[in-house]
Amino acid sequence: MNKEKQKASDKVALPPSPSDATISFGSGGEWHQAKTADQSDLTSNLGVPISDNQNSLRITPSGPTLLEDFILREKITHFDHERIPERVVHARGTGAHGYFELTHSLQQYTSAKVLTEVGQQTPLFARFSTVAGGSGSADTPRDARGFAVKFYTKQGNWDLVGNNIPVFFIQDAIKFPDLVHAIKMEPDRGFPQAATAHDTFWDFISLTPEAMHMAMWIMSDRTLPRSLRMMEGFGIHSFKLINDDHEASFVKFHWRPKIGMQSTIWDETVKIAGADPDFHRREFFQAIIDGDFPEWELAVQLFTPEQAEQFPFDHLDATKLIPEELVPLLVVGRMVLNRWPDNFFAETEQVAFCPSHLVPGIDFSNDPLLQGRLFSYLDTQLSRLGSTNFQQLPINAPKCPYANHQRDGHMQMTQPTGRVSYEPNTLATDSPREQVHSGFYSMANEENGVKGRIRAESFADHYSQARQFYLSQSSYEQAHIASAFVFELSKVEHPHIRLAMLAHMRHVDEDLAQRLATGLGIAQLPPAMISACTIQILKPSPALQLIANMKDTLQGRAVGVLIDHGSDQPSIDALTKAVIEAGAKLKLIAQKIGNTTLSDGSTLIIDAQLAGTPSVMFDAIVVLLDQTSAARLSKDAAAIDFVRDAYAHLKAIGIDQGGATLLQAAGLQTDAGVIAIQQLKQFMAAAKTRQWDREARVRTLA
Ligand code: HDE
């Protein structure tokens, strides 16, 4: 660049944003923003007004930038430190504010006001997450989902930090770092991201018999939720409830989605990850913004220590669940999420959940996994948020009064007054004191016996509930589980790992083991793994199924309608009305966004472009085209994929004659789920579910 040219370019300031109406140009190409009445002055962090936020301080247009420019340095330094360490696990997440309303008092069991004051609304913040991926990973890998709720109760914060699966991989906290290292990207190559389909994960699982029950759950469609508001949540561990008389009972917590559970299927999930990596986050955001508030029931399973003695498993073992048929669920309240955070970082990122955050009337059990978690979360917050004062961040601070003598530390935000910072004292009679009667009470347990690194014998049964889970599933779900195992183990490079998994599966179900062997091209099953105890024959539990427990509703779901110029206006009208009445959303898709002219000459605004909106984004589709458009779209791969995928993903497809032409061009047969749109009622009924019977015709399952 010659000197003349360089000088000219030095003078060119950044172009103004076209959307910003307040921008005006000064002489010589510089520009400044004229302030409107509702804008405040731009200042440094110390309140110094800033006159130029576009140019750094330099000597001559072609000279160096000066170190003296404290405005530049402050801005860049702050920017350099914008990121905090992401969560070691559960890094990818999304959260929302809401409330919990108690509908049934547990007064008999607990003194916790949040569980005894019927009608009381307790504010809360909930965060949902995947476990394995980094914070920038896609929303829809096959993974357990975190389900963490922070209740800001009158008696302090209570964090119920659970998952969408009622059991866990391991029994003792000391194994957690190994599990997580095995699941995450392999350390030498830095992949795969957010996936269990790799050697280190299955190597670890194959050497960890206690993980077999969880392995069945994660290979099921439970790990492919259709929406965050369509999944269950579980506290997993047993906790204790303690009443006013200091009597204890055990409790397990369950969240049940109001609109029921729904899952995607694997091929669809993989395609969603490409089409919209923010699929869950976006859908959740939109539901809240639209006032379609996600809602769950909170239910409890209550049981006495004496009842627990009779269970055919140890409830302190987090790899076990208590079947609902054994201890029924009692619904005690509901959670409604009705406010999106103002700022993702300040709230969703900085929220710090700790299972050790309990309130009076609730206590821990001796579950060794829970016991380890009581240490881990506080410790990890110190590393992530940098200071013991993370509790003072608005999202973490209690909403009830709080006071103590803890002082100072990094980033202390409070400014206590007075000379007393200890207790007891005589110098400040109004300083905080213990609450002997209403304060947190730890259950007076008698513990005696030998100290050691102990695994209880009652924890030795690793296969009975894994078997019960598998045998409780419908044939479609069993086929999905078997196919997921085959998919994952086919990605494993070491054959001995596959064989070890088959050796475990023989205890779950011989037929399942054989299906996996066939799917993996293994001619002969290996001998079964040695089991530390006799495997029990437990009754199947229908409550563990997904399909049978889906609700007969289209609420919260989405119907995609492919139209074009000339599409039939009365059909679109009738369909729109029916979908909205059913509590679902309807999206119009066409080759181009903008306006489309319909059969009657009226125009409609298109919601989304066909090439960028595959049918995986919807629960059911409709194709309404005149014959000219149908002929044109029959030559468009995006349109062919739209219907082919919907068909392969077992969705209801509504068609008119043009739709039928497109289906024919895609080589699809009609079946009970392909419905003429004149039969609107029939289509709406089919849209609520998947066409399970179609599956055997469209895909080879294990
Ligand atoms: Fe966590 N887990 N975990 N975990 N976990 C974390 O805490 C840990 C476990 C769960 O949205 C970390 O703040 C140990 C079971 C959720 O912010 C960390 C053990 C369950 C979230 C941690 C477990 C969970 C976490 C990472 C074995 C289901 C996300 C960042 C003893 C009941 C919460 C953080 C959010 C997060 C440790 C096992 C659920 C490192 C040591 C079992 C939902 O502290």
Side-chain angles (χ1 to χ4, degrees), residues 551-570:
K551 287 197 177 167
D552 183 29
T553 178
L554 200 62
Q555 262 194 334
R557 318 264 288 287
V559 178
V561 189
L562 179 59
I563 63 170
D564 212 312
H565 292 297
S567 287
D568 187 49
Q569 188 271 340

Side-chain angles (χ1 to χ4, degrees), residues 584-606:
K585 289 208 170 78
L586 180 136
K587 293 271 173 217
L588 295 172
I589 298 129
Q591 269 184 323
K592 286 186 196 160
I593 53 164
N595 282 337
T596 290
T597 310
L598 304 180
S599 57
D600 65 345
S602 63
T603 54
L604 262 186
I605 299 173
I606 295 303

Side-chain angles (χ1 to χ4, degrees), residues 147-170:
F147 195 120
V149 182
K150 186 181 286 294
F151 299 79
Y152 304 97
T153 88
K154 287 178 182 172
Q155 295 166 293
N157 287 359
W158 171 33
D159 292 355
L160 184 55
V161 195
N163 278 351
N164 75 328
I165 287 178
V167 291
F168 202 64
F169 290 99
I170 47 169

Side-chain angles (χ1 to χ4, degrees), residues 105-422:
S105 173
L106 290 175
Q107 180 100 45
Q108 190 189 339
Y109 303 98
T110 178
S111 55
K113 288 189 168 48
V114 61
L115 296 176
T116 58
E117 296 182 344
V118 171
Q120 181 71 41
Q121 289 191 353
T122 302
L124 54 79
F125 186 80
R127 182 174 180 273
F128 307 95
S129 47
T130 53
V131 179
S135 65
S137 57
D139 275 348
T140 52
R142 177 180 291 286
D143 200 353
R145 297 301 190 282
F147 195 120
V149 182
K150 186 181 286 294
F151 299 79
Y152 304 97
T153 88
K154 287 178 182 172
Q155 295 166 293
N157 287 359
W158 171 33
D159 292 355
L160 184 55
V161 195
N163 278 351
N164 75 328
I165 287 178
V167 291
F168 202 64
F169 290 99
I170 47 169
Q171 298 173 322
D172 190 307
I174 202 165
K175 294 310 299 166
F176 192 66
D178 297 302
L179 167 72
V180 173
H181 288 170
I183 224 171
K184 286 252 175 188
M185 312 183 289
E186 298 189 10
D188 57 347
R189 55 208 69 188
F191 60 82
Q193 174 68 261
T196 45
H198 59 118
D199 286 60
T200 59
F201 176 72
W202 286 106
D203 187 27
F204 179 79
I205 297 297
S206 70
L207 298 168
T208 310
E210 71 209 56
M212 290 312 135
H213 189 191
M214 180 72 168
M216 302 308 298
W217 281 83
I218 60 167
M219 291 301 105
S220 80
D221 293 350
R222 293 267 181 165
T223 42
L224 315 175
R226 155 69 178 85
S227 155
L228 299 174
R229 57 201 174 117
M230 296 175 201
M231 61 185 197
E232 293 185 328
F234 303 90
I236 301 192
H237 315 281
S238 296
F239 288 86
K240 279 183 200 146
L241 292 183
I242 302 178
N243 66 15
D244 291 340
D245 299 328
H246 289 177
E247 292 162 340
S249 27
F250 284 115
V251 62
K252 290 227 186 212
F253 295 102
H254 298 241
W255 293 107
R256 298 203 307 198
K258 187 180 166 207
I259 54 179
M261 281 186 291
Q262 285 289 326
S263 282
T264 51
I265 55 180
W266 180 239
D267 181 68
E268 184 185 13
T269 309
V270 170
K271 290 173 176 162
I272 291 173
D276 185 3
D278 305 307
F279 184 67
H280 283 153
R281 183 178 288 193
R282 191 188 308 280
E283 197 261 356
F284 207 62
F285 171 82
Q286 201 55 51
I288 293 176
I289 298 300
D290 292 346
D292 193 5
F293 300 137
E295 188 172 331
W296 284 261
E297 285 174 344
L298 178 67
V300 291
Q301 282 181 303
L302 293 163
F303 53 101
T304 61
E306 294 71 35
Q307 281 173 307
E309 287 295 315
Q310 305 304 316
F311 294 161
F313 49 82
D314 192 333
H315 73 103
L316 296 178
D317 169 358
T319 68
K320 306 294 185 298
L321 55 81
I322 305 181
E324 287 178 35
E325 291 79 6
L326 190 59
V327 179
L329 263 57
L330 172 68
V331 176
V332 297
R334 66 189 191 117
M335 167 168 76
V336 179
L337 299 179
N338 58 5
R339 185 161 65 85
W340 192 256
D342 290 324
N343 184 279
F344 184 87
F345 179 81
E347 298 166 89
T348 311
E349 196 58 16
Q350 292 200 118
V351 65
F353 294 96
C354 297
S356 54
H357 292 169
L358 278 197
V359 292
I362 312 180
D363 200 1
F364 311 111
S365 70
N366 284 348
D367 174 341
L369 196 67
L370 175 60
Q371 295 280 320
R373 294 179 75 200
L374 302 183
F375 162 73
S376 175
Y377 290 66
L378 181 59
D379 187 41
T380 209
Q381 307 314 345
L382 298 182
S383 149
R384 249 170 44 74
L385 298 166
S387 159
T388 46
N389 293 318
F390 74 87
Q391 322 263 22
Q392 295 175 10
L393 294 169
I395 192 70
N396 294 322
K399 296 196 192 298
C400 62
Y402 61 101
N404 57 43
H405 300 282
Q406 293 170 30
R407 291 290 187 273
D408 310 342
H410 281 294
M411 295 296 159
Q412 177 58 253
M413 295 295 156
T414 64
Q415 202 162 305
T417 53
R419 84 195 271 199
V420 167
S421 57
Y422 55 90

Side-chain angles (χ1 to χ4, degrees), residues 462-483:
H462 303 315
Y463 299 108
S464 303
Q465 284 206 349
R467 179 179 167 76
Q468 180 185 36
F469 176 77
Y470 183 70
L471 296 179
S472 299
Q473 304 302 309
S474 68
S475 61
Y476 305 114
E477 289 162 292
Q478 287 185 341
H480 286 192
I481 292 170
S483 302

